[in-house]
Structures are given as structure tokens and as C-alpha cells.
């Protein structure tokens, strides 16, 4: 039995851990902030680049106006367009870098134990914690090939873990087309709602 969705959360950018915004076994919503890397330098760069982009846009507007009057050269207008485009691209790039400094949850779930500390320097790809969606669990089990005609995708099944009881209800999501040649068993995958986190 495993979570339908589970990932190792990792940072995309390098930086020093400024804030850890979660604790072990905390339930989080999709897009919730989990970790903030120091982004002071990038924010300063972004402000400077925005100011340059505004200047470049003003120069482009002026060049267009002069062109309309017939007193501006084509090369001046081309240069102004190129500068405005380059500074806008730089603003977009820096905003993307800033977004990478905040690690967010890709889906709702339960966060595992933090693997990082405040002030620690992280490189891209450093694992921060795990995130598991325990609301729905995946259960793989085997059945004899003779029972294969009785199974279909979407069918309701009853499941249990040990001791013969079948307290959980699930839905078949997949049936392996390959039959194990030695055991003559077929693997079946079901998804089981787990709102009370009884299955782990």
C-alpha cells in the first residue's frame, strides 16, 4: 500500500535557507509555501532591472513618436525596440528566479520530516522533505488468472491488511496485462479513499 501521489520535494535554485514554513507531518494545501531561500540580492536586481525596463520603454515610445514625425531614424527605432525587449526579458527572468527561491507544495498532502536547517546552503536538487497525499492510497494485489474475466477497470473491491477482515473499499484502476508465468497470478491496482489515514 502506498500513496497515490508522493514526491521528494527539492529546491530548484541555490541559496541559503531563510525560512522553513512547515513542520513534520503537517497537512498542507497545494501551492502552500514550504521553504524560502534568501532572495534579497535577486529582489534588488529585479528592482534595478524594472527601472531600466521603464527607461527603455520610455525611449522606445519617444523613438516611435519621432519616427511618426519623420525625424527619427530606422536604426534608432530598432535599437530602442531591442533595448526594451531585452530589459523586459531580463525582468521576466529575474521574476522566474525569485519564484524558484520559494519552494511550494505541488499538491495537497502531508509533509515529512525536514531534511534541512535554517541558514544551510542548498544546491539545486537538494531534497528538503517528502510530500505524500494520504487521502487516497494505492493498493497492488495479485489474483489467480482464472479470476481475470471477473475483473474490470472501475469495479469496486473490498480490501484488508492481514487478519482476514476487509474493512476498506476501493476501485480498480489498473489490471496488468501480463500473467506471471511461474505463479499464474495477475497484478491488480486499486485506489482506496483514506480520509481517516487508517491506511499508511
Amino acid at each position: 500500500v502506498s500513496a497515490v501521489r508522493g514526491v521528494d520535494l527539492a529546491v530548484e535554485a541555490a541559496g541559503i535557507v531563510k525560512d522553513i514554513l512547515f513542520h513534520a507531518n503537517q497537512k498542507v494545501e497545494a501551492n502552500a509555501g514550504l521553504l524560502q531561500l534568501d532572495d534579497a540580492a535577486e529582489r534588488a536586481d529585479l528592482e534595478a532591472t524594472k527601472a531600466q525596463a521603464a527607461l527603455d520603454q520610455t525611449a522606445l515610445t519617444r523613438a516611435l513618436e519621432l519616427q511618426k514625425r519623420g525625424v527619427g531614424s530606422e536604426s534608432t527605432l530598432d535599437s530602442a525596440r531591442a533595448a526594451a525587449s531585452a530589459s523586459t526579458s531580463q525582468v521576466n527572468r529575474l521574476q522566474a528566479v525569485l519564484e524558484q527561491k520559494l519552494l511550494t507544495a505541488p499538491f495537497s498532502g502531508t509533509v515529512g520530516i525536514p531534511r534541512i536547517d535554517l541558514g544551510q546552503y542548498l544546491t539545486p536538487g537538494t531534497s528538503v522533505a517528502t510530500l505524500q497525499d494520504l487521502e487516497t492510497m494505492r493498493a497492488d494485489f495479485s489474483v489467480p488468472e482464472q479470476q481475470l474475466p471477473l475483473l474490470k477497470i472501475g469495479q469496486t473491491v473490498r480490501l484488508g491488511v492481514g487478519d482476514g477482515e476487509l474493512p476498506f473499499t476501493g476501485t480498480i484502476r489498473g489490471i496488468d496485462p501480463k500473467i506471471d508465468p511461474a505463479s499464474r497470478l495477475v497484478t491488480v491496482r486499486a485506489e482506496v479513499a483514506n480520509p481517516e489515514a487508517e491506511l499508511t
Side-chain angles (χ1 to χ4, degrees), residues 101-135:
K101 295 285 185 167
L102 176 65
L103 177 65
T104 58
F107 52 84
S108 298
T110 303
V111 188
I113 298 169
R115 298 178 186 155
I116 39 81
D117 293 305
L118 281 176
Q120 181 179 347
Y121 179 80
L122 305 182
T123 56
T126 301
S127 182
V128 171
T130 61
L131 177 65
Q132 303 289 320
D133 178 4
L134 302 176
E135 293 287 315

Side-chain angles (χ1 to χ4, degrees), residues 27-49:
K27 289 187 177 182
V28 296
E29 296 299 318
N31 301 314
L34 301 175
L35 179 87
Q36 178 67 60
L37 296 177
D38 185 24
D39 60 1
E42 288 81 4
R43 286 193 182 283
D45 287 347
L46 179 60
E47 289 309 310
T49 305

Side-chain angles (χ1 to χ4, degrees), residues 85-153:
S85 176
S87 57
T88 300
S89 295
Q90 185 69 357
V91 166
N92 292 338
R93 188 189 72 76
L94 285 170
Q95 284 174 330
V97 169
L98 270 176
E99 287 172 13
Q100 290 179 344
K101 295 285 185 167
L102 176 65
L103 177 65
T104 58
F107 52 84
S108 298
T110 303
V111 188
I113 298 169
R115 298 178 186 155
I116 39 81
D117 293 305
L118 281 176
Q120 181 179 347
Y121 179 80
L122 305 182
T123 56
T126 301
S127 182
V128 171
T130 61
L131 177 65
Q132 303 289 320
D133 178 4
L134 302 176
E135 293 287 315
T136 306
M137 301 298 282
R138 176 186 300 142
D140 290 348
F141 55 94
S142 299
V143 296
E145 69 173 313
Q146 296 86 348
Q147 293 183 1
L148 191 55
L150 305 174
L151 303 176
K152 63 180 184 290
I153 303 296

Side-chain angles (χ1 to χ4, degrees), residues 121-200:
Y121 179 80
L122 305 182
T123 56
T126 301
S127 182
V128 171
T130 61
L131 177 65
Q132 303 289 320
D133 178 4
L134 302 176
E135 293 287 315
T136 306
M137 301 298 282
R138 176 186 300 142
D140 290 348
F141 55 94
S142 299
V143 296
E145 69 173 313
Q146 296 86 348
Q147 293 183 1
L148 191 55
L150 305 174
L151 303 176
K152 63 180 184 290
I153 303 296
Q155 180 178 343
T156 300
V157 291
R158 305 233 359 117
L159 305 165
V161 182
D163 72 17
E165 290 186 31
L166 303 173
F168 303 105
T169 302
T171 305
I172 294 177
R173 294 292 182 218
I175 301 169
D176 198 329
K178 182 181 177 187
I179 298 170
D180 185 291
S183 66
R184 307 307 296 169
L185 295 175
V186 178
T187 301
V188 179
R189 174 168 289 171
E191 287 183 5
V192 182
N194 189 38
E196 304 300 321
E198 295 175 86
L199 281 171
T200 55

